[in-house]
Short mmCIF file of all heavy atoms in Angstrom, two decimals:
data_model
loop_
_atom_site.label_atom_id
_atom_site.label_comp_id
_atom_site.label_asym_id
_atom_site.label_seq_id
_atom_site.Cartn_x
_atom_site.Cartn_y
_atom_site.Cartn_z
N SER A 82 -5.18 -6.71 -11.46
CA SER A 82 -5.96 -5.53 -10.90
C SER A 82 -6.77 -6.00 -9.63
O SER A 82 -7.42 -5.20 -9.04
CB SER A 82 -6.93 -5.00 -11.94
OG SER A 82 -7.62 -6.13 -12.53
N HIS A 83 -6.85 -7.32 -9.31
CA HIS A 83 -7.66 -7.93 -8.26
C HIS A 83 -6.92 -7.62 -6.96
O HIS A 83 -5.71 -7.94 -6.85
CB HIS A 83 -7.79 -9.39 -8.39
CG HIS A 83 -8.81 -9.97 -7.43
ND1 HIS A 83 -8.54 -10.08 -6.08
CD2 HIS A 83 -9.99 -10.43 -7.56
CE1 HIS A 83 -9.50 -10.70 -5.45
NE2 HIS A 83 -10.41 -10.84 -6.32
N PRO A 84 -7.61 -6.96 -6.00
CA PRO A 84 -6.85 -6.52 -4.74
C PRO A 84 -6.13 -7.65 -3.99
O PRO A 84 -5.24 -7.39 -3.29
CB PRO A 84 -7.90 -5.92 -3.97
CG PRO A 84 -8.96 -5.55 -4.89
CD PRO A 84 -8.91 -6.54 -6.03
N GLN A 85 -6.51 -8.92 -4.21
CA GLN A 85 -5.93 -9.91 -3.52
C GLN A 85 -4.71 -10.69 -4.40
O GLN A 85 -4.18 -11.73 -3.93
CB GLN A 85 -6.88 -11.01 -2.90
CG GLN A 85 -7.33 -10.82 -1.56
CD GLN A 85 -8.17 -9.49 -1.50
OE1 GLN A 85 -9.09 -9.42 -2.20
NE2 GLN A 85 -7.87 -8.85 -0.52
N SER A 86 -4.61 -10.17 -5.59
CA SER A 86 -3.52 -10.81 -6.27
C SER A 86 -2.23 -10.42 -5.87
O SER A 86 -2.08 -9.37 -5.17
CB SER A 86 -3.68 -10.38 -7.98
OG SER A 86 -3.40 -9.04 -8.13
N PHE A 87 -1.20 -11.17 -6.19
CA PHE A 87 0.10 -10.84 -5.75
C PHE A 87 0.80 -9.72 -6.48
O PHE A 87 1.49 -9.02 -5.90
CB PHE A 87 0.93 -12.04 -5.78
CG PHE A 87 0.73 -13.19 -4.72
CD1 PHE A 87 1.16 -14.54 -4.89
CD2 PHE A 87 -0.06 -12.79 -3.55
CE1 PHE A 87 0.84 -15.44 -3.89
CE2 PHE A 87 -0.48 -13.78 -2.65
CZ PHE A 87 0.01 -15.02 -2.80
N ARG A 88 0.31 -9.57 -7.77
CA ARG A 88 0.76 -8.35 -8.63
C ARG A 88 0.26 -7.15 -7.94
O ARG A 88 1.00 -6.07 -7.61
CB ARG A 88 0.22 -8.36 -10.01
CG ARG A 88 0.30 -7.16 -10.90
CD ARG A 88 1.56 -6.44 -10.90
NE ARG A 88 2.40 -7.09 -11.99
CZ ARG A 88 3.67 -6.68 -12.23
NH1 ARG A 88 4.07 -5.57 -11.55
NH2 ARG A 88 4.43 -7.29 -13.11
N TYR A 89 -1.04 -7.02 -7.50
CA TYR A 89 -1.58 -5.88 -6.84
C TYR A 89 -0.78 -5.72 -5.46
O TYR A 89 -0.45 -4.42 -5.11
CB TYR A 89 -3.03 -6.23 -6.49
CG TYR A 89 -3.87 -5.03 -6.16
CD1 TYR A 89 -4.62 -4.28 -7.21
CD2 TYR A 89 -3.93 -4.59 -4.87
CE1 TYR A 89 -5.32 -3.13 -6.70
CE2 TYR A 89 -4.74 -3.61 -4.40
CZ TYR A 89 -5.41 -2.77 -5.45
OH TYR A 89 -6.17 -1.58 -5.08
N PHE A 90 -0.59 -6.62 -4.79
CA PHE A 90 0.12 -6.59 -3.46
C PHE A 90 1.53 -5.97 -3.78
O PHE A 90 1.96 -5.04 -3.07
CB PHE A 90 0.39 -7.89 -2.85
CG PHE A 90 1.35 -7.94 -1.63
CD1 PHE A 90 0.80 -8.08 -0.39
CD2 PHE A 90 2.71 -7.98 -1.85
CE1 PHE A 90 1.51 -7.96 0.67
CE2 PHE A 90 3.53 -7.96 -0.63
CZ PHE A 90 2.90 -8.06 0.56
N MET A 91 2.26 -6.27 -4.81
CA MET A 91 3.57 -5.73 -4.99
C MET A 91 3.57 -4.33 -5.42
O MET A 91 4.27 -3.58 -5.05
CB MET A 91 4.39 -6.54 -6.05
CG MET A 91 4.60 -7.89 -5.62
SD MET A 91 5.64 -8.05 -4.09
CE MET A 91 7.02 -7.05 -4.47
N GLN A 92 2.46 -3.97 -6.21
CA GLN A 92 2.43 -2.51 -6.68
C GLN A 92 1.96 -1.64 -5.38
O GLN A 92 2.60 -0.66 -5.30
CB GLN A 92 1.09 -2.40 -7.57
CG GLN A 92 1.28 -3.06 -8.88
CD GLN A 92 2.42 -2.53 -9.72
OE1 GLN A 92 3.21 -3.43 -10.46
NE2 GLN A 92 2.71 -1.23 -9.69
N GLN A 93 1.14 -2.15 -4.48
CA GLN A 93 0.69 -1.42 -3.35
C GLN A 93 1.88 -1.20 -2.43
O GLN A 93 2.11 -0.19 -1.83
CB GLN A 93 -0.36 -2.13 -2.58
CG GLN A 93 -1.75 -2.21 -3.38
CD GLN A 93 -2.38 -0.87 -3.39
OE1 GLN A 93 -2.55 -0.16 -2.42
NE2 GLN A 93 -2.63 -0.43 -4.56
N HIS A 94 2.69 -2.30 -2.08
CA HIS A 94 3.65 -2.29 -1.10
C HIS A 94 4.99 -1.73 -1.51
O HIS A 94 5.91 -1.45 -0.75
CB HIS A 94 3.77 -3.62 -0.31
CG HIS A 94 2.45 -3.96 0.43
ND1 HIS A 94 2.26 -3.41 1.70
CD2 HIS A 94 1.40 -4.75 0.12
CE1 HIS A 94 1.17 -3.85 2.14
NE2 HIS A 94 0.53 -4.64 1.16
N LEU A 95 5.32 -2.03 -2.91
CA LEU A 95 6.61 -1.64 -3.21
C LEU A 95 6.70 -0.91 -4.58
O LEU A 95 7.08 0.27 -4.65
CB LEU A 95 7.55 -2.87 -3.31
CG LEU A 95 9.03 -2.73 -3.60
CD1 LEU A 95 9.69 -1.96 -2.44
CD2 LEU A 95 9.67 -3.96 -3.89
N PHE A 96 6.29 -1.51 -5.63
CA PHE A 96 6.57 -1.02 -7.04
C PHE A 96 6.08 0.52 -7.27
O PHE A 96 6.58 1.19 -8.01
CB PHE A 96 5.98 -1.94 -8.05
CG PHE A 96 6.63 -3.36 -8.04
CD1 PHE A 96 5.97 -4.45 -8.51
CD2 PHE A 96 7.98 -3.54 -7.53
CE1 PHE A 96 6.31 -5.79 -8.44
CE2 PHE A 96 8.34 -4.84 -7.53
CZ PHE A 96 7.63 -5.91 -8.03
N ASP A 97 4.91 0.75 -6.70
CA ASP A 97 4.31 2.15 -6.97
C ASP A 97 5.11 3.13 -6.28
O ASP A 97 4.79 4.44 -6.48
CB ASP A 97 2.74 2.11 -6.56
CG ASP A 97 1.94 1.30 -7.54
OD1 ASP A 97 2.43 1.06 -8.57
OD2 ASP A 97 0.77 1.25 -7.20
N HIS A 98 6.01 2.85 -5.35
CA HIS A 98 6.50 3.71 -4.41
C HIS A 98 8.05 3.94 -4.74
O HIS A 98 8.71 4.67 -3.99
CB HIS A 98 6.32 3.45 -3.00
CG HIS A 98 4.89 3.14 -2.74
ND1 HIS A 98 3.94 4.16 -2.80
CD2 HIS A 98 4.23 1.98 -2.51
CE1 HIS A 98 2.76 3.54 -2.54
NE2 HIS A 98 2.86 2.24 -2.33
N ILE A 99 8.57 3.12 -5.68
CA ILE A 99 10.01 3.18 -6.00
C ILE A 99 10.20 3.50 -7.43
O ILE A 99 9.26 3.40 -8.20
CB ILE A 99 10.74 1.96 -5.52
CG1 ILE A 99 10.31 0.77 -6.20
CG2 ILE A 99 10.84 1.88 -4.06
CD1 ILE A 99 11.03 -0.54 -6.02
N ASN A 100 11.46 3.82 -7.86
CA ASN A 100 11.69 4.23 -9.27
C ASN A 100 12.09 2.91 -10.16
O ASN A 100 13.02 3.11 -10.94
CB ASN A 100 12.79 5.25 -9.33
CG ASN A 100 14.02 4.72 -8.88
OD1 ASN A 100 14.14 3.92 -8.05
ND2 ASN A 100 15.13 5.46 -9.41
N ILE A 101 11.31 1.85 -9.96
CA ILE A 101 11.70 0.72 -10.88
C ILE A 101 10.72 0.76 -12.09
O ILE A 101 9.37 1.05 -12.07
CB ILE A 101 11.39 -0.66 -10.11
CG1 ILE A 101 11.97 -1.75 -10.85
CG2 ILE A 101 9.98 -0.93 -9.80
CD1 ILE A 101 12.17 -3.07 -10.06
N PRO A 102 11.29 0.56 -13.24
CA PRO A 102 10.41 0.70 -14.47
C PRO A 102 9.41 -0.49 -14.38
O PRO A 102 9.80 -1.66 -14.05
CB PRO A 102 11.50 0.51 -15.76
CG PRO A 102 12.78 0.70 -15.16
CD PRO A 102 12.76 0.34 -13.61
N SER A 103 8.31 -0.24 -14.95
CA SER A 103 7.14 -1.23 -14.70
C SER A 103 7.45 -2.57 -15.63
O SER A 103 7.21 -3.67 -15.09
CB SER A 103 5.78 -0.83 -15.11
OG SER A 103 5.70 -0.32 -16.40
N ASP A 104 8.16 -2.36 -16.71
CA ASP A 104 8.42 -3.57 -17.51
C ASP A 104 9.59 -4.36 -16.87
O ASP A 104 10.05 -5.48 -17.34
CB ASP A 104 8.57 -3.22 -18.86
CG ASP A 104 9.71 -2.37 -19.13
OD1 ASP A 104 10.48 -1.94 -18.24
OD2 ASP A 104 10.04 -2.04 -20.32
N ALA A 105 10.20 -3.81 -15.71
CA ALA A 105 11.18 -4.59 -15.11
C ALA A 105 10.76 -5.40 -13.94
O ALA A 105 11.45 -6.20 -13.22
CB ALA A 105 12.35 -3.74 -14.70
N THR A 106 9.45 -5.29 -13.69
CA THR A 106 8.88 -6.12 -12.49
C THR A 106 8.03 -7.23 -13.16
O THR A 106 7.14 -7.17 -13.90
CB THR A 106 7.98 -5.23 -11.70
OG1 THR A 106 6.72 -4.84 -12.38
CG2 THR A 106 8.67 -4.00 -11.19
#
Side-chain angles (χ1 to χ4, degrees):
S82 54
H83 190 289
Q85 267 70 48
S86 73
F87 290 162
R88 161 59 76 178
Y89 192 92
F90 173 100
M91 291 308 302
Q92 295 298 143
Q93 293 289 305
H94 291 280
L95 187 65
F96 301 152
D97 285 349
H98 313 289
I99 59 174
N100 64 332
I101 191 163
S103 59
D104 61 359
T106 67

